[in-house]
Amino acid sequence: MSGKSLSEQEGLNSVPNAAARISTEATITRDPAEVRVGSAAGTGEEKAMSLVESKDLTKTYQAGEVEVKALKGISFAIEPASFVSFVGPSGSGKTTLLNLVGCLDKPTSGQLRVVGTDVATLGRAEGATFRGRNIGFVFQDFNLIPVLTVFENIEYPLLMVECCGARERRERVETLLEAVGMADQKKKFPSQISGGQKQRVAVARALVADPKLVLADEPTANLDHETAFMVINLMKSLKKERKTTFVFSTHDPKIVGEAEIVYTLEDGLVTNLEDRRAGHA
């Protein structure tokens, strides 16, 4: 089984000017080895700083009568304000890993803490609430809600987590519209804007609840070369300004070239770690 897309679908009950329904679901793939993402192993400081920490993480799927070992015992840690990329062929475990970190699936065994929470113990409702408050997602296919305007699409996560009133929601959305260069497009619907603009809206939506972590599954796959670089640079600047951690699952050499830390996955195993932070300082 090669789990692939992180796709959105879960619950839109009352949103201004729309009657729509969405749910957030995902299927996934594989990984392991003992690895540290963005920190020196074994220090007390690392423990305190880790935004995501995994120990001996495994994931096994049942495909009929066959067991597919998607993750095979990965250990790693990701620091705040990191720009991390997981690369590898299809079926290597990239999307599986993102789905586990994003609370869209549960590990078979091992430990996984995200923003200090043991996410493997969360129920479905608890996981959805935790996800909404702590994690943003950027999807390959944008996953904007067709019946909502640009403004309303960005506002949507705030309505779901009920974290603030109308005035604060408007201020947050307008701030991000300016940041991603879409303020003059806020009344348009997704069908009225380009692919690059849609992905900019998706990035703004991922950041509107001020998450500590953004997971991006092949975010540039459907963009042309120039637009892809624009989106990558946008995410880099927002990472620097907001101290947000971005974790990518990608085949795109443009993202790999900009990442500070790159993990290579093959057949559910981490086969290489490249730390480039000195060169990106």
Side-chain angles (χ1 to χ4, degrees):
M1 171 176 183
S2 81
K4 280 224 181 225
S5 61
L6 285 166
S7 61
E8 224 180 30
Q9 300 168 339
E10 191 147 74
L12 173 65
N13 294 325
S14 59
V15 177
N17 303 323
R21 221 165 165 66
I22 293 205
S23 79
T24 310
E25 267 196 17
T27 47
I28 323 227
T29 356
R30 15 182 130 167
D31 295 85
E34 181 128 344
V35 181
R36 293 262 165 226
V37 177
S39 41
T43 67
E45 181 180 2
E46 168 221 42
K47 288 279 186 183
M49 290 182 65
S50 297
L51 184 69
V52 180
E53 188 163 12
S54 159
K55 182 174 176 59
D56 300 327
L57 192 67
T58 74
K59 181 64 182 179
T60 301
Y61 294 98
Q62 197 72 32
E65 297 182 358
V66 178
E67 279 194 348
V68 178
K69 294 182 179 180
L71 296 171
K72 301 174 182 175
I74 293 182
S75 300
F76 65 87
I78 300 176
E79 292 177 2
S82 299
F83 213 66
V84 178
S85 180
F86 287 89
V87 302
S90 296
S92 61
K94 305 185 304 297
T95 304
T96 297
L97 184 58
L98 258 63
N99 280 359
L100 295 181
V101 173
C103 306
L104 295 170
D105 201 357
K106 290 193 173 187
T108 301
S109 65
Q111 300 174 12
L112 179 60
R113 299 185 69 83
V114 180
V115 196
T117 297
D118 182 355
V119 296
T121 66
L122 298 178
R124 183 172 179 177
E126 292 173 319
T129 299
F130 177 84
R131 200 163 52 234
R133 295 185 182 278
N134 294 283
I135 304 171
F137 294 88
V138 179
F139 300 95
Q140 175 178 337
D141 296 319
F142 319 128
N143 283 6
L144 301 182
I145 304 170
V147 295
L148 299 186
T149 64
V150 164
F151 184 100
E152 291 165 346
N153 265 283
I154 298 171
E155 182 187 34
Y156 175 69
L158 299 177
L159 293 167
M160 297 305 294
V161 299
E162 300 178 340
C163 69
C164 50
R167 180 175 179 179
E168 184 179 346
R169 289 200 308 269
R170 184 175 64 253
E171 290 174 351
R172 287 195 188 196
V173 174
E174 289 179 348
T175 296
L176 279 166
L177 281 166
E178 290 288 345
V180 302
M182 289 294 290
D184 60 342
Q185 307 290 317
K186 65 181 179 181
K187 294 183 180 180
K188 291 187 177 180
F189 291 92
S191 61
Q192 298 173 309
I193 59 178
S194 69
Q197 289 173 321
K198 289 176 184 176
Q199 199 61 296
R200 280 190 271 168
V201 173
V203 171
R205 180 185 58 189
L207 291 168
V208 73
D210 200 22
K212 296 176 176 65
L213 175 66
V214 171
L215 304 177
D217 187 29
E218 297 286 2
T220 58
N222 291 333
L223 304 178
D224 62 60
H225 186 80
E226 183 178 351
T227 303
F229 266 118
M230 182 275 295
V231 170
I232 294 166
N233 288 332
L234 170 63
M235 289 189 283
K236 284 178 65 180
S237 67
L238 291 170
K239 172 251 180 187
K240 185 175 181 180
E241 293 166 11
R242 292 172 169 256
K243 306 301 181 187
T244 304
T245 293
F246 284 84
V247 178
F248 300 90
S249 161
T250 187
H251 294 91
D252 190 340
K254 295 182 289 297
I255 291 180
V256 176
E258 295 296 331
E260 298 166 341
I261 298 167
V262 179
Y263 282 88
T264 301
L265 285 76
E266 294 181 14
D267 192 29
L269 296 167
V270 173
T271 59
N272 190 57
L273 163 63
E274 184 178 359
D275 187 339
R276 307 165 173 172
R277 282 173 296 172
H280 285 77

